Amino acid sequence: MLAEDIAYARTDEYPLRDREYKDECLAEEDILKIEFIHIKFMRCRFTGCDFSGAGFYSVEFDKCDFSNCRFGGSYWKDSTIKECKGNGAKFDMAVLKHVGLEDCRLDLTNFTGSSWERCSVRECGFREVQCQKECPLKQILWRSARRRGSF
């Protein structure tokens, strides 16, 4: 169902709105510049997908795996990422506002040039992350986050 909805959104340039996806698997999908509004992803797996330029508004990722996916230039607002795995993901130039991350593994993730504002991070692992350019972090609440690298 998710793959069909993304194809429809891509073709007609409509946002995906007010939906819930469970146990979906997508591989190597082009999800560029699609807007997700009030979406809940539960136990979904995204392998090598490209979400570059996508918008996430009031979106929840719960127990998902988006390792090695690309989120460059994406925009996140009022969203949560909970108990997810995103090792090796690329969030370069992403904007995160009012985003909550809880109990996530984001090792080897690239946050170069991203900006974070009023986000909360709880029980997350950020080992060997990259943030080579300025990466503004404004009003971030860190709770038991394990950080190592240039973040």
Side-chain angles (χ1 to χ4, degrees):
M1 183 164 100
L2 176 57
E4 293 85 7
D5 288 349
I6 288 172
Y8 174 76
R10 187 182 318 119
T11 302
D12 293 334
E13 298 182 9
Y14 286 111
L16 289 181
R17 181 186 303 270
D18 302 316
R19 306 221 175 152
E20 190 170 295
Y21 300 100
K22 293 182 181 176
D23 303 311
E24 298 271 353
C25 293
L26 294 179
E28 305 299 324
E29 284 287 331
D30 174 6
I31 311 172
L32 296 164
K33 298 182 181 177
I34 292 179
E35 289 189 346
F36 298 89
I37 303 168
H38 299 286
I39 302 289
K40 184 171 184 175
F41 295 102
M42 292 183 61
R43 298 180 307 274
C44 294
R45 182 180 179 97
F46 304 94
T47 306
C49 293
D50 191 351
F51 292 89
S52 297
F56 299 91
Y57 306 90
S58 299
V59 171
E60 181 178 341
F61 284 87
D62 188 7
K63 296 176 184 71
C64 295
D65 186 346
F66 48 84
S67 296
N68 300 309
C69 288
R70 294 176 299 284
F71 294 91
S74 59
Y75 184 85
W76 300 71
K77 186 168 185 184
D78 300 324
S79 297
T80 58
I81 303 171
K82 188 175 177 182
E83 296 182 44
C84 291
K85 182 178 174 185
N87 295 336
K90 293 175 177 60
F91 287 87
D92 50 306
M93 305 305 290
V95 175
L96 293 88
K97 293 185 176 186
H98 303 273
V99 174
L101 291 97
E102 185 176 332
D103 198 24
C104 295
R105 298 294 309 172
L106 297 165
D107 299 337
L108 302 169
T109 302
N110 185 343
F111 291 103
T112 297
S114 66
S115 67
W116 297 45
E117 185 177 331
R118 295 185 181 182
C119 296
S120 65
V121 181
R122 177 182 289 167
E123 299 293 332
C124 293
F126 294 94
R127 295 180 194 264
E128 304 302 324
V129 298
Q130 294 180 0
C131 190
Q132 296 173 350
K133 292 182 182 177
E134 182 178 322
C135 190
L137 304 173
K138 297 177 185 174
Q139 298 178 330
I140 308 301
L141 178 60
W142 298 95
R143 292 186 181 156
S144 301
R146 295 168 303 284
R147 297 174 279 168
R148 188 173 71 194
S150 57
F151 193 51

